[in-house]
């Protein structure tokens, strides 16, 4: 299993990125990681990885797309950047997956520039696993496509359903459409047209209709479809609320308890381990011919290790073959304009 890792992507790169790669190859003897970045910065960080050095390659490049840069402008002005080189390795089939904690817009734009899409996929979407009272669900898109068409959202339902079935172990995933109300007539034209598309498709039996933001963590459905603008806001709000609640709970519990303080600390640590994004690694960009994992900019070495493990898991699950087959069964979406 070969995975290209953007060694220069992230708020604190390359330190935790390289450290995460070392941890990942140590945990998975079948994994080989290509560290894409400035060799002068990456090589010294591999000094202590001698036992696994033969499975840690370095692909040298001279430029980096920073978090603040415009993705399209940066990719054009910096052709030798680490994100573009990761995509190059994927396009040339030298790796089976790519992982980056760098500029999310640049990661998505890199794939769009190459048109490295699966057959019949019109626009890739980023899928995020969300915690619910009934087990995890998947929310997409969370940032790749802020101005989608109904056909794009329908395809997110297709891809999300396959993801939920094969990765989240949901035998018959249910699908909901994010909206401002549960009534069928609610929402703007995009929501109404997408609702009609689901109702008239082969997924109508899995489609439960509109869902609201407060329904996500209740576990009302296994797949929630929305545009990238709303999805990204929802994801960031959930991350912020989780961090806030954990800090407030810790403050209240640990200052009021005496003999049971250690038990409260353990309970909080268990919650953080279960729901913190560092433990899940990253989110897949579904619809790409290959595996692409987009990580949080502040990813730690633990998060990078998990992201690499997730990339290998998705590749082995052969999600893309299932997506292609499912879309071929949707003839009204296999031709025409994007």
């Amino acid at each position: 299993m070969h995975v290209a890792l953007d060694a220069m992507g992230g708020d604190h790169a390359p330190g935790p990125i390289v450290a995460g790669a070392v941890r990942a190859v140590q945990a998975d003897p079948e994994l080989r990681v290509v560290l894409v970045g400035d060799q002068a910065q990456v090589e010294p960080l591999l000094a202590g990885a001698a036992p696994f050095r033969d499975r840690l390659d370095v692909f040298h490049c001279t430029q980096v797309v920073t978090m603040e840069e415009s993705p399209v402008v940066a990719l054009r002005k910096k052709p030798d950047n680490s994100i573009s080189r990761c995509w190059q390795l994927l396009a040339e089939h030298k790796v089976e997956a790519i992982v980056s904690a760098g500029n999310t817009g640049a990661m998505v734009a890199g794939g769009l520039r190459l048109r490295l899409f699966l057959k019949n996929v019109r626009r890739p979407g980023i899928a995020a696993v969300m915690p619910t009272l009934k087990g995890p669900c998947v929310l997409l898109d969370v940032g790749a496509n802020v101005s989608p068409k109904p056909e794009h959202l329908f395809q997110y339902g297709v891809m999300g359903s396959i993801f939920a079935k094969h990765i989240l172990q949901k035998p018959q995933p249910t699908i909901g459409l994010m909206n401002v109300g549960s009534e069928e007539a609610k929402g703007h034209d995009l929501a109404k047209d997408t609702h009609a598309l689901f109702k008239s498709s082969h997924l109508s039996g899995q489609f439960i209709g509109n869902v609201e933001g407060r329904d996500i963590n209740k576990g009302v459905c296994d797949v929630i479809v929305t545009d990238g603008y709303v999805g990204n806001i929802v994801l960031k709000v959930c991350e912020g609320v989780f961090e806030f609640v954990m800090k407030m709970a810790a403050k209240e519990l640990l200052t009021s308890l005496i003999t049971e303080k250690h038990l409260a600390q353990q309970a909080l640590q268990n919650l953080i381990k279960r729901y913190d994004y560092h433990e899940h690694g990253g989110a897949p960009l579904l619809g790409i011919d290959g595996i692409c994992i987009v990580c949080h900019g502040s990813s730690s070495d633990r998060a990078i290790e998990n992201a690499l493990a997730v990339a290998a898991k998705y590749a082995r699950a052969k999600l893309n073959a299932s997506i292609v087959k499912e879309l071929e069964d949707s003839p009204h979406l296999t031709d025409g304009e994007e």
Side-chain angles (χ1 to χ4, degrees):
M1 180 65 61
H2 290 67
V3 180
L5 174 62
D6 175 13
M8 313 309 293
D11 297 337
H12 311 293
I17 310 301
V18 176
V22 174
R23 292 178 55 152
V25 296
Q26 183 177 4
D28 184 351
E30 296 182 354
L31 180 64
R32 189 181 192 100
V33 177
V34 181
L35 292 155
V36 182
D38 181 6
Q39 191 166 11
Q41 295 186 57
V42 173
E43 284 286 1
L45 299 173
L46 294 171
F52 319 103
R53 189 64 181 82
D54 62 327
R55 291 188 285 120
L56 290 163
D57 302 318
V58 179
F59 185 100
H60 178 65
C61 61
T62 61
Q63 296 172 313
V64 179
V65 177
T66 67
M67 295 296 195
E68 298 77 22
E69 289 184 280
S70 164
V72 175
V73 173
L75 291 178
R76 185 175 65 249
K77 290 186 174 181
K78 298 179 175 181
D80 194 33
N81 71 81
S82 55
I83 288 176
S84 292
R85 294 310 184 200
C86 282
W87 279 108
Q88 175 189 331
L89 291 172
L90 186 65
E92 294 174 352
H93 303 290
K94 293 180 179 178
V95 298
E96 296 161 81
I98 59 176
V99 175
S100 176
N103 187 308
T104 299
M107 275 295 283
V108 175
L112 295 180
R113 287 180 73 190
L114 290 177
R115 299 292 298 175
L116 199 64
F117 299 174
L118 290 175
K119 183 180 179 182
N120 294 323
V121 168
R122 296 188 174 180
R123 283 294 297 270
I126 301 175
V129 176
M130 305 290 286
T132 83
L133 294 174
K134 300 178 181 178
C137 73
V138 58
L139 170 71
L140 77 166
D141 173 38
V142 296
N145 188 359
V146 298
S147 301
K149 296 180 179 180
E151 293 82 4
H152 300 160
L153 295 185
F154 177 81
Q155 289 196 339
Y156 295 159
V158 172
M159 294 189 287
S161 176
I162 292 168
F163 182 91
K165 182 176 181 179
H166 293 281
I167 301 300
L168 304 183
Q169 303 301 307
K170 308 282 187 177
Q172 189 70 10
T174 51
I175 303 168
L177 177 65
M178 181 72 73
N179 207 327
V180 295
S182 59
E183 298 85 356
E184 186 170 340
K186 282 290 184 74
H188 45 40
D189 289 342
L190 174 63
K192 294 175 183 177
D193 292 344
T194 303
H195 191 287
L197 201 53
F198 273 109
K199 291 287 287 185
S200 63
S201 75
H202 67 288
L203 293 178
S204 59
Q206 297 172 240
F207 183 58
I208 67 167
N210 295 326
V211 298
E212 299 177 81
R214 61 186 175 186
D215 295 325
I216 296 175
N217 301 114
K218 293 179 182 178
V220 297
C221 60
D222 304 310
V223 180
I224 299 176
V225 174
T226 188
D227 65 87
Y229 184 86
V230 171
N232 190 267
I233 292 173
V234 168
L235 180 64
K236 298 294 176 59
V237 167
C238 287
E239 288 178 352
V241 169
F242 175 77
E243 183 178 355
F244 169 74
V245 170
M246 287 297 99
K247 287 182 177 179
M248 292 302 295
K251 180 180 179 181
E252 293 296 324
L253 286 173
L254 300 181
T255 55
S256 61
L257 296 175
I258 300 177
T259 58
E260 299 89 354
K261 182 176 289 188
H262 69 288
L263 295 176
Q265 288 177 321
Q266 185 61 54
L268 289 170
Q269 289 173 356
N270 289 341
L271 281 172
I272 292 173
K273 186 173 182 180
R274 181 179 298 179
Y275 298 122
D276 185 35
Y277 68 83
H278 286 285
E279 297 300 320
H280 296 285
L285 180 62
L286 299 180
I288 290 296
D289 187 7
I291 302 296
C292 173
I293 304 296
V294 180
C295 305
H296 204 288
S298 61
S299 291
S300 64
D301 57 345
R302 173 64 175 163
I304 295 300
E305 177 192 1
N306 287 332
L308 290 166
V310 161
K313 178 181 179 181
Y314 294 169
R316 289 164 179 153
K318 301 188 183 303
L319 286 179
N320 287 344
S322 298
I323 289 173
V324 169
K325 184 179 185 305
E326 187 79 14
L327 290 178
E328 286 178 343
D329 293 336
S330 306
H332 57 301
L333 294 179
T334 57
D335 47 32
E337 293 293 323
E338 294 186 3

